[in-house]
Amino acid sequence: MKTAELITFPTKDAAEFPDGGRRLLVYVVYDVRGDVEEYIPYALSHLREHCATVLVVVNGVLTDLGRSRLEPVSDQIIVRENRGYDIWGYKAGLDAVGESIADYDEVLLANDTWFGPVRPFGPMFERMDRSALHFWGMTDHVRVEPNPFTNTGYLPYHLQSYWVAVRRDMFLSEDWLAYWRDLPQMDTYADAVVKHEGIFTEHFTDLGYVGEVAFPTLTDRVENHAVLYAEQLIRAGCPTLKRRPFFQWPAYLDHLAVIGRWTLEAVEEFGYPIDLVYADLARNVEPRTLNADAAMLEVLPDEPVDYDPDSPQRILVLAHVFYPEMTDEILDRADFLPGDYDLVITTPDDERAERIRSALAAREPRGAAEVRVVASNNGRDQAAFLIGCRDLLLSGDHDLVVKLHSKKTPQDAYNVGQHFKRQQFTNLLNSPGYAANLVGLFQRERGLGLVFPPTIHLGYPSLGHGWWANKPPFRTLAAELGIRVPVDEVSPLAPFGSMFVARPEALRILVAHEWTYEQFGGVEAYQDGGLAHVLERMPVYAAGELGFHSRTVANREYLGSSYAALDYNFDQFSSTLHDSTMQQIQLLNAAGPMEYGTLTDFARMFARLRRPASEAALVAAAERILRVRSALGRVRSAVRRRLPHR
């Protein structure tokens, strides 16, 4: 059973918000760093226009930076232990107010799980102030049966607890005092829903209080409308945008055709500073999840359409050239950049440097040019960039840095290596118009820190394996550098191939660290798990810690071949499983990893997926097959040893 209607029993007198009435805001913040993201003071500064008093409750730690952001937009700040989620934060705020709550006509309980105001608060407050009621919420959730958190009974229709306002007839009642006095402990998110959010509305309407919702659900489907219909709610006038659509599991949003990019376009359309959204999400969401949820791949045209020549960028090209014969190819790509640029080429020895200087001498310079012989080729282009060019990256003399290197990939098959090089060069610097549009991204988005090609997959098994052996040392190094951006579980969002365009300040954490060539090690250390390969996966996370977001970029030709291959391969893969993509992923995750396809692994996986009761029998059968295969192998070897040599 499900319903989107709120049934109330108005046995108690309900009144409109009085003219000149006083509103108290209790606003709960949780920030893992304690810094307080900038979208929070922006929201509070706009809420102050409608609230006589702003009380902020911080669950957890509050740094000096966080306090400096909250003090100008609040009247009181309470810092408490992070316990009981936002619900017990509300209680702490109400307890602090105590009997002086009687000085107010309405109490608004809100938390920091939303951006806003995307649409003005004023019209909504005016409309709700005219309504005769005891309490109201921003959005609601339909009744769900059975309760998804307990698998029994039902989850009642309820106002969502991130924004609930209560009038004085209700908050001065014994019913209200008893509710908060007897509030149970909440140790999990499910507790917060089952013990408060899901029951608050029904509890008080059953007592005869009248509740309403400002922006009701748009359908009668059992869905979280504030998350799944965010764009539609914004267009309906809702001032708040929930953060969850941008860190929800992408496969789930794909299953329901929720397009985050459309929501963000609506946010920009109505004038909300989109940089506040990206800065928060870059610091607090797994980058690959954000890249998918917000659709942050840009397909750039070759015609210049998004570049402002009146706002030129100071560009520095840093190219590490191990193969001097590729110098002209790299410079041809660099010359696609709009306007002048400075150039520094690093190389490991004097002989290569002379060949590179000869190539430079034959070309018309576009700015200052320099060839640097680095002290060691340890770490290759990574060390040359972070050590050999550290002074340039910290100088503040350039707005953008373009990192390139002479890529041949001789260890791989010819076509594979050629495609990898082309995938890097053409998706960064495909043509003059394309390069201008790429630079235009940085002109348009002041919080954009990094752009690079999508994850290479043609010729490489990168998808699903992007970490390889690098995740453990990555976590260790990130902790040492103070990078707390959540780490993607399956594969990182990273510039595989190590070519990108970035703001130097977005790379400050990596560049400011004093690396040594000895740390990178020699040729034997240039492998997965080594420092160079770990750092290859680090830039997006380092930029994110500083509040800079990243984008992937692709040209139309590349995307045509890339998408066509992905489409075919995914179609083949999906043909072996039933149901939707989301359900297929859930099924395989439940089955667990399979180590390189042994018969035992396959039998165990099949048993988990299809016939759990027969798992032991299937595994035993597979092991018998393997023993027979091994015995046959030993027989063949013995026969070969007895045969005469020919």
Side-chain angles (χ1 to χ4, degrees):
M1 176 181 178
K2 59 189 178 184
T3 176
E5 296 181 2
L6 171 58
I7 302 172
T8 61
F9 303 91
T11 58
K12 299 179 182 293
D13 292 333
E16 296 181 9
F17 190 82
D19 291 337
R22 289 167 54 81
R23 180 179 288 114
L24 164 68
L25 168 63
V26 177
Y27 184 90
V28 178
V29 175
Y30 170 70
D31 187 301
V32 66
R33 300 172 182 82
D35 291 341
V36 180
E37 300 296 342
E38 290 185 278
Y39 75 90
I40 291 172
Y42 182 87
L44 292 176
S45 68
H46 286 76
L47 279 171
R48 282 191 75 94
E49 302 171 17
H50 307 279
C51 300
T53 302
V54 175
L55 168 60
V56 177
V57 180
V58 177
N59 281 351
V61 297
L62 181 65
T63 63
D64 291 341
L65 174 61
R67 186 173 292 276
S68 71
R69 288 174 171 172
L70 289 177
E71 285 181 342
V73 292
S74 63
D75 299 291
Q76 184 179 356
I77 301 171
I78 297 172
V79 181
R80 63 182 291 272
E81 180 185 1
N82 182 27
R83 181 176 54 83
Y85 291 81
D86 54 326
I87 314 306
W88 275 77
Y90 294 150
K91 176 175 168 55
L94 293 170
D95 289 345
V97 174
E99 293 182 358
S100 63
I101 197 171
D103 296 338
Y104 301 95
D105 299 293
E106 186 171 87
V107 173
L108 171 58
L109 306 178
N111 65 28
D112 64 349
T113 61
W114 50 272
F115 301 110
V118 180
R119 305 294 300 274
F121 286 128
M124 176 198 65
F125 277 122
E126 292 170 8
R127 173 164 58 88
M128 300 310 293
D129 289 351
R130 292 192 298 269
S131 298
L133 50 81
H134 295 105
F135 67 105
W136 61 277
M138 183 71 73
T139 55
D140 56 2
H141 196 288
V142 299
R143 172 187 169 116
V144 184
E145 190 172 355
N147 188 322
F149 294 94
T150 63
N151 293 317
T152 61
Y154 66 93
L155 179 68
Y157 166 91
H158 60 273
L159 301 176
Q160 294 184 301
S161 63
Y162 73 91
W163 179 296
V164 173
V166 182
R167 301 271 168 85
R168 62 183 292 112
D169 284 350
M170 182 165 151
F171 66 66
L172 293 179
S173 70
E174 180 58 35
D175 298 323
W176 175 263
L177 294 174
Y179 182 88
W180 291 101
R181 182 188 63 229
D182 301 333
L183 190 71
Q185 292 295 325
M186 299 170 190
D187 299 320
T188 65
Y189 173 74
D191 284 345
V193 176
V194 172
K195 297 179 180 180
H196 173 74
E197 182 177 50
I199 64 170
F200 179 91
T201 303
E202 186 174 77
H203 174 82
F204 282 101
T205 55
D206 283 352
L207 291 173
Y209 295 93
V210 178
E212 288 188 11
V213 60
F215 296 94
T217 53
L218 302 172
T219 76
D220 65 349
R221 295 177 63 87
V222 178
E223 295 174 330
N224 189 338
H225 288 238
V227 173
L228 304 180
Y229 296 91
E231 179 199 356
Q232 294 88 334
L233 285 169
I234 290 171
R235 296 194 180 281
C238 183
T240 59
L241 166 65
K242 290 288 283 181
R243 296 173 65 251
R244 182 172 287 276
F246 306 105
F247 61 81
Q248 183 70 265
W249 186 35
Y252 173 68
L253 297 181
D254 171 272
H255 180 66
L256 297 171
V258 176
I259 311 299
R261 192 181 189 114
W262 296 351
T263 302
L264 293 175
E265 288 172 355
V267 170
E268 286 193 279
E269 177 185 336
F270 289 108
Y272 184 82
I274 196 70
D275 288 334
L276 297 182
V277 175
Y278 286 134
D280 167 58
L281 299 176
R283 280 164 59 87
N284 296 298
V285 179
E286 295 94 335
R288 200 173 188 90
T289 294
L290 175 59
N291 191 61
D293 282 350
M296 298 185 74
L297 165 66
E298 292 290 330
V299 182
L300 301 177
D302 284 309
E303 303 76 31
V305 294
D306 284 322
Y307 175 71
D308 181 5
D310 294 328
S311 299
Q313 303 291 289
R314 299 171 300 165
I315 300 176
L316 170 65
V317 175
L318 296 181
H320 183 64
V321 176
F322 184 81
Y323 302 105
E325 62 271 22
M326 289 186 63
T327 302
D328 282 322
E329 182 178 6
I330 290 174
L331 295 179
D332 287 344
R333 293 288 174 182
D335 281 345
F336 287 154
L337 289 164
D340 294 337
Y341 65 86
D342 293 331
L343 170 69
V344 173
I345 297 179
T346 55
T347 195
D349 58 57
D350 290 327
E351 180 182 349
R352 288 180 170 87
E354 284 306 310
R355 293 176 60 186
I356 294 167
R357 291 189 181 101
S358 296
L360 282 174
R363 305 177 70 95
E364 188 72 25
R366 295 269 295 274
E370 178 187 355
V371 179
R372 292 186 175 187
V373 177
V374 293
S376 170
N377 199 43
N378 287 0
R380 303 183 188 181
D381 62 286
Q382 293 284 355
F385 184 78
L386 293 172
I387 302 174
C389 298
R390 182 173 183 265
D391 59 321
L392 300 169
L393 294 167
L394 291 175
S395 69
D397 293 337
H398 299 91
D399 302 308
L400 299 176
V401 58
V402 181
K403 181 180 182 298
L404 305 172
H405 62 97
S406 57
K407 188 167 188 60
K408 281 194 174 183
T409 323
Q411 70 272 21
D412 294 327
Y414 178 80
N415 283 346
V416 172
Q418 286 296 301
H419 169 264
F420 201 172
K421 179 187 75 171
R422 186 169 179 176
Q423 190 256 6
Q424 295 286 290
F425 285 167
T426 64
N427 284 323
L428 282 179
L429 302 168
N430 194 49
S431 67
Y434 182 95
N437 291 327
L438 188 150
V439 173
L441 292 175
F442 289 93
Q443 292 177 322
R444 191 170 69 246
E445 299 178 23
R446 63 181 182 178
L448 180 61
L450 201 75
V451 299
F452 51 91
T455 300
I456 184 79
H457 65 91
L458 291 172
Y460 291 93
S462 304
L463 298 181
H465 309 286
W467 283 114
W468 298 107
N470 298 291
K471 186 189 279 188
F474 179 98
R475 287 187 182 277
T476 300
L477 182 58
E480 292 175 0
L481 295 174
I483 297 173
R484 290 164 288 186
V485 174
V487 175
D488 290 282
E489 284 301 317
V490 176
S491 290
L493 182 69
F496 293 103
S498 197
M499 299 192 208
F500 53 76
V501 181
R503 297 187 195 274
E505 60 264 38
L507 303 174
R508 177 164 46 84
I509 291 177
L510 298 180
V511 177
H513 188 83
E514 296 186 1
W515 308 96
T516 67
Y517 289 106
E518 289 73 26
Q519 287 176 297
F520 285 89
V523 175
E524 73 287 347
Y526 197 79
Q527 58 184 332
D528 283 315
L531 181 58
H533 282 73
V534 171
L535 286 171
E536 181 182 23
R537 290 154 173 81
M538 190 72 71
V540 173
Y541 300 83
E545 182 62 31
L546 298 176
F548 290 97
H549 62 279
S550 299
R551 288 190 180 276
T552 50
V553 290
N555 68 73
R556 294 168 177 172
E557 179 185 5
Y558 168 78
L559 200 65
S561 58
S562 173
Y563 179 83
L566 280 175
D567 180 63
Y568 179 84
N569 293 341
F570 191 70
D571 182 65
Q572 293 288 302
F573 172 81
S574 297
S575 69
T576 65
L577 298 168
H578 296 297
D579 302 319
S580 69
T581 302
M582 180 188 76
Q583 292 161 328
Q584 291 168 355
I585 295 172
Q586 289 174 323
L587 197 65
L588 291 175
N589 283 342
M594 187 170 73
E595 296 292 332
Y596 301 105
T598 68
L599 284 174
T600 303
D601 288 326
F602 182 79
R604 183 173 287 113
M605 186 183 78
F606 180 81
R608 289 186 188 131
L609 293 177
R610 300 299 182 190
R611 300 190 183 100
S614 63
E615 177 176 351
L618 284 168
V619 171
E623 289 174 344
R624 285 196 297 272
I625 293 171
L626 289 174
R627 286 197 294 271
V628 171
R629 175 187 286 179
S630 178
L632 288 173
R634 290 194 297 272
V635 170
R636 283 195 297 269
S637 297
V639 169
R640 290 194 187 100
R641 286 195 298 270
R642 294 173 182 273
L643 290 175
H645 293 288
R646 290 184 291 177

